[in-house]
Amino acid sequence: MTCDRTFCFSPPSGFLSSAVSAATVTLAALASPAAALEVRVVPDNPRLGDTLSVLVETETDNATVPTVTANGRRYETFPVGTNRYRAFLPTTPLERPGVRQLQVSGDGTVETVSVNVGDRDFPIQEIWLSAETNAIEGTDYEFDLVDAFKQLVTPQRFWTGPFLTPSDGPVTTVYGVRRYYNGEWAGNYYHRGIDYAAATGAPVRAAAAGRVALVGRVEEGFELHGNTVGIDHGQGVTTIYIHLSRIDVREGQMVEAGQTIGGVGSTGISTGPHLHWGLYVRGESVDPYPWQHLGLK
């Protein structure tokens, strides 16, 4: 189930997974021949929708905190150990596959890292909507709050290890599904998360530890998303849980991995009881599957 400023729909679909592994990327130094930075990117064979974990190691204790620039966008890194830093970079189904040039700056050195992001086949669905349903757009109120939530970059990391599955229900729609609506290709659309079918009221759990940074309710104007909870996991990683029947947490509350935060529902624009769960990195929807099974940390 994807909720943007169009419509939410969740027909059954098959399940996708992507294997990821780690490897050291060859560097091309732009400064001195003896590079002061060691850079490693995970996974070594990423595909569209994967999260790039960029690990940077400096030579000195008092080094300037490194930054990573890609496609004109600058990403902060965060400490993960002595002289070691990390940044997460998103990729999405709307991008073109091919080589990405990452510029890593720090310790008076700039390194260029070449990462090839492979193509990926996403399922395609054809959806037919009534004129009345097609006219539903949601409210500016809910979209403004949700958009601001997805842009959070909290320096502290609250989670550890792999993310948990937030529902016991079966997967009905996977990440990245592309669609035709009423015969027209929705070029800017892809399914921004995973849908789990379950009975109304079935528990919805926090996928990882974090701070509840968004609580939205139907009666407050969340017409499209329905009852919504958003959790900030830190360092630009957030998860969102929508169409809930109830909300068991409050904004600002700290939650643990596996803690019940609400119940499965069909509020907002929904065709039946289910949980739509989305994972965002620096405001972009990425495939949650590697976070569940690899444990990006």
Side-chain angles (χ1 to χ4, degrees):
M1 172 68 62
T2 291
C3 283
D4 50 24
R5 297 178 190 252
T6 54
F7 177 64
C8 301
F9 193 85
S10 59
S13 173
F15 186 72
L16 282 180
S17 64
S18 59
V20 291
S21 56
T24 300
V25 178
T26 303
L27 304 181
L30 297 182
S32 61
L37 302 175
E38 181 179 339
V39 182
R40 189 168 178 255
V41 177
V42 178
D44 62 333
N45 294 307
R47 299 186 300 165
L48 293 177
D50 284 341
T51 302
L52 303 181
S53 175
V54 182
L55 300 171
V56 184
E57 186 169 350
T58 63
E59 289 184 344
T60 59
D61 294 340
N62 58 350
T64 303
V65 175
T67 60
V68 180
T69 302
N71 296 327
R73 185 175 180 182
R74 182 176 175 271
Y75 299 86
E76 303 95 331
T77 64
F78 299 96
V80 292
T82 304
N83 300 345
R84 299 178 69 246
Y85 303 84
R86 180 202 55 214
F88 289 121
L89 279 62
T91 70
T92 78
L94 301 183
E95 299 175 16
R96 291 182 179 275
V99 175
R100 307 290 199 274
Q101 300 292 336
L102 312 183
Q103 288 191 330
V104 183
S105 304
D107 237 6
T109 300
V110 178
E111 307 287 352
T112 296
V113 181
S114 296
V115 180
N116 185 54
V117 179
D119 203 356
R120 177 174 170 185
D121 291 328
F122 294 98
I124 295 176
Q125 297 171 342
E126 191 166 352
I127 304 298
W128 293 90
L129 306 175
S130 68
E132 181 181 2
T133 300
N134 201 34
I136 298 174
E137 296 181 350
T139 67
D140 287 339
Y141 172 76
E142 64 182 310
F143 285 116
D144 288 345
L145 289 180
V146 170
D147 290 347
F149 161 73
K150 293 172 182 176
Q151 296 298 329
L152 291 174
V153 184
T154 303
Q156 184 178 355
R157 183 186 70 185
F158 299 118
W159 87 94
T160 57
F163 279 41
L164 304 179
T165 301
S167 171
D168 293 329
V171 172
T172 55
T173 307
V174 297
Y175 169 86
V177 171
R178 309 298 304 276
R179 286 177 179 160
Y180 286 91
Y181 282 102
N182 294 350
E184 294 187 9
W185 178 247
N188 64 347
Y189 171 89
Y190 66 96
H191 191 244
R192 290 168 166 81
I194 298 176
D195 286 352
Y196 299 87
T200 298
V204 171
R205 297 180 293 269
R211 178 180 62 87
V212 177
L214 173 67
V215 171
R217 293 181 170 84
V218 175
E219 60 269 24
E220 298 170 350
F222 272 61
E223 297 177 357
L224 193 149
H225 295 79
N227 294 327
T228 298
V229 171
I231 300 177
D232 175 17
H233 304 287
Q235 300 185 351
V237 181
T238 60
T239 55
I240 195 165
Y241 311 73
I242 68 176
H243 306 307
L244 304 177
S245 61
R246 70 176 194 277
I247 296 173
D248 296 340
V249 291
R250 66 184 184 279
E251 195 166 317
Q253 179 179 343
M254 300 300 296
V255 295
E256 299 298 325
Q259 181 176 335
T260 298
I261 60 173
V264 169
S266 190
T267 56
I269 305 302
S270 170
T271 58
H274 73 286
L275 167 68
H276 173 87
W277 175 55
L279 193 154
Y280 287 77
V281 171
R282 299 301 296 263
E284 300 289 347
S285 169
V286 298
D287 191 350
Y289 186 80
W291 288 81
Q292 293 173 306
H293 297 272
L294 177 66
L296 296 173
K297 58 183 180 177

